[in-house]
């Protein structure tokens, strides 16, 4: 009986491998971030399916590509997924990626007289509408008791906001990596971070039709991505290797990348009961800004891949 059970299990695994091998998994990445860590960790060997990468420079195009079905899965921040989810887009969040929230921050120039959030009244701030920067700055102002309309808000991309801070045309910016690390290297001071203020989750999302049609390759990809992220956090040398690989891919400053990735310590985690609770905070915030209609964020989450991201548990053999 034990032999037949093992034989059946082996046949099932072989069939699963053959099914996956006949498929192509199309993954939307941002600026080679996931591809670089997976290549550096050596987890892309012997794939039982064809992996096709598509690179993007921002999260919104990733979400749009998921919406129209040109991607099977995509890696992006929470807001683009939630915005399209409010419109009924066929997108499911199948895993969550987290980073050190110190990498999402409110900064002022090194010589600025601004010492605290309370000093921001009457100042010029650069944020990007519909993003972590808007959510962070306005949430921080609320907590500090500063009226939102006491600031002059300028809507700039993260890159343009950094240039504006350097040039003195704005007094404060709310931004994310690698701009936080870049600004700190130039002496900028942090007034507040996302810690305790906003969730700043990132998602691994899938087109709804791919969830079942490509379940085997998606599950395998998630396991490999988690393995790569775990590897990058295991030792400083691994983090540096990842940073160097990413910098080579993007022609970016390797030292900035090393500092950024060392702080970020990015993880890949299964969807939990808390994931949609935190997402609802983001939905409610942007609904309050009139940027999205309120809806139950939990409707976007699919926890059926959670088992793929759990640590292996050793079992005693009979």
């Amino acid at each position: 009986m034990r032999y037949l059970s093992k034989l059946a299990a082996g046949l099932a695994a072989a069939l699963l491998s053959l099914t996956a091998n006949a498929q192509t998994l199309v993954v939307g990445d941002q600026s080679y971030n996931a591809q670089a860590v997976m290549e550096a960790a050596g987890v892309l060997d012997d794939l039982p399916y064809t992996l096709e990468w598509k690179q993007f420079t921002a999260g919104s195009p990733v979400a749009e590509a998921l919406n129209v079905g040109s991607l099977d899965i995509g890696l992006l921040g929470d807001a683009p997924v939630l915005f399209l989810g409010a419109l009924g887009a066929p997108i499911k969040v199948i895993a969550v990626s987290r980073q050190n929230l110190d990498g999402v921050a409110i900064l002022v120039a090194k010589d600025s007289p601004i010492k605290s959030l309370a000093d921001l009244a009457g100042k010029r701030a650069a944020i990007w509408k519909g993003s972590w920067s808007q959510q962070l700055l306005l949430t921080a102002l609320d907590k500090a008791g500063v009226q939102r309309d006491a600031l002059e808000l300028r809507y700039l991309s993260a890159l343009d906001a950094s240039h504006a801070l350097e040039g003195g045309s704005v007094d404060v910016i709310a931004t994310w990596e690698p701009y936080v690390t870049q600004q700190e290297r130039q002496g900028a001071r942090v007034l507040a971070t996302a810690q305790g203020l906003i969730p700043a989750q990132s998602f691994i999302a899938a087109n709804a039709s791919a969830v079942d049609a490509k379940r085997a390759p998606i599950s395998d990809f998630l396991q490999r991505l988690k393995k790569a992220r775990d590897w990058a956090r295991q030792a400083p040398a691994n983090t540096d290797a990842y940073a160097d690989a990413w910098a080579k891919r993007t022609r970016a400053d390797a030292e900035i990348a090393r500092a950024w990735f060392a702080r970020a310590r990015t993880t890949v985690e299964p969807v939990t009961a808390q994931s949609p609770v935190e997402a609802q905070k983001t939905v409610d915030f942007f609904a309050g800004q009139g940027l999205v209609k309120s809806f139950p964020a939990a409707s976007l989450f699919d926890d059926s891949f959670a088992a793929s991201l759990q640590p292996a548990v050793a079992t005693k053999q009979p």
Side-chain angles (χ1 to χ4, degrees), residues 206-316:
N207 178 275
S209 65
V211 169
D212 290 323
K214 298 188 178 182
R215 179 167 293 272
I218 289 175
S219 179
D220 179 82
F221 178 85
L222 290 176
Q223 292 172 12
R224 292 171 189 262
L225 178 59
K226 175 176 171 53
K227 184 177 180 181
R229 290 298 188 191
D230 292 348
W231 168 86
R233 297 193 314 277
Q234 284 172 358
N238 295 356
T239 306
D240 288 349
Y242 163 35
D244 292 347
W246 179 81
K248 184 177 181 180
R249 277 277 191 183
T250 60
R251 299 181 181 179
D253 186 325
E255 291 304 313
I256 293 292
R258 287 185 173 201
W260 165 20
F261 295 161
R263 171 162 59 189
R265 296 187 61 78
T266 303
T267 63
V268 176
E269 304 171 8
V271 168
T272 67
Q274 189 62 22
S275 305
V277 172
E278 294 188 348
Q280 193 65 53
K281 297 176 185 177
T282 299
V283 170
D284 294 344
F285 171 83
F286 286 118
Q289 295 299 300
L291 297 180
V292 66
K293 68 176 182 179
S294 186
F295 74 103
S299 64
L300 289 180
F301 287 78
D302 183 335
D303 65 1
S304 65
F305 290 92
S308 300
L309 296 171
Q310 297 296 340
V313 177
T315 57
K316 185 177 180 180

Side-chain angles (χ1 to χ4, degrees), residues 77-158:
D78 54 4
V81 174
L82 297 173
F83 279 27
L84 281 180
L87 300 175
I91 299 175
K92 291 294 182 181
V93 178
I94 59 172
V96 175
S97 181
R98 297 186 183 277
Q99 63 176 333
N100 186 334
L101 293 183
D102 287 344
V104 183
I106 299 171
L107 302 114
V108 295
K110 63 179 180 180
D111 297 326
S112 172
I114 299 170
K115 302 301 181 185
S116 70
L117 294 169
D119 299 329
L120 291 180
K123 303 303 182 183
R124 303 160 299 172
I127 57 175
W128 185 243
K129 186 177 289 188
S131 74
W132 289 343
S133 68
Q134 181 182 26
Q135 188 180 9
L136 174 58
L137 180 64
L138 299 189
T139 302
L141 292 176
D142 292 346
K143 186 174 182 179
V146 179
Q147 294 296 314
R148 295 179 178 184
D149 60 5
L151 279 72
E152 177 187 337
L153 298 181
R154 300 183 181 180
Y155 297 107
L156 301 175
S157 70

Side-chain angles (χ1 to χ4, degrees), residues 15-78:
L15 180 60
L16 185 65
S17 178
L18 287 172
T19 301
N21 196 45
Q23 293 181 311
T24 296
L25 187 67
V26 186
V27 176
D29 192 11
Q30 289 190 59
S31 301
Y32 296 96
N33 201 301
Q35 184 174 351
V37 73
M38 295 180 82
E39 289 176 344
V43 301
L44 294 178
D45 298 332
D46 302 319
L47 289 171
Y49 49 89
T50 300
L51 177 60
E52 179 182 341
W53 293 98
K54 291 189 177 181
Q55 296 297 332
F56 298 81
T57 57
S60 293
V62 177
E64 290 288 355
L66 284 167
N67 182 36
V68 300
S70 59
L71 294 177
D72 295 316
I73 60 176
L75 299 97
L76 66 170
D78 54 4

Side-chain angles (χ1 to χ4, degrees), residues 146-215:
V146 179
Q147 294 296 314
R148 295 179 178 184
D149 60 5
L151 279 72
E152 177 187 337
L153 298 181
R154 300 183 181 180
Y155 297 107
L156 301 175
S157 70
L159 178 60
D160 289 340
S162 285
H163 291 328
L165 185 65
E166 294 164 8
S169 59
V170 299
D171 304 300
V172 59
I173 64 172
T175 192
W176 52 82
E177 295 287 20
Y179 304 103
V180 173
T181 296
Q182 290 174 348
Q183 288 300 320
E184 286 181 317
R185 288 293 182 98
Q186 297 177 36
R189 291 182 288 108
V190 173
L191 295 184
T193 73
Q195 294 278 5
L197 290 174
I198 66 172
Q201 297 184 102
S202 290
F203 295 149
I204 302 168
N207 178 275
S209 65
V211 169
D212 290 323
K214 298 188 178 182
R215 179 167 293 272

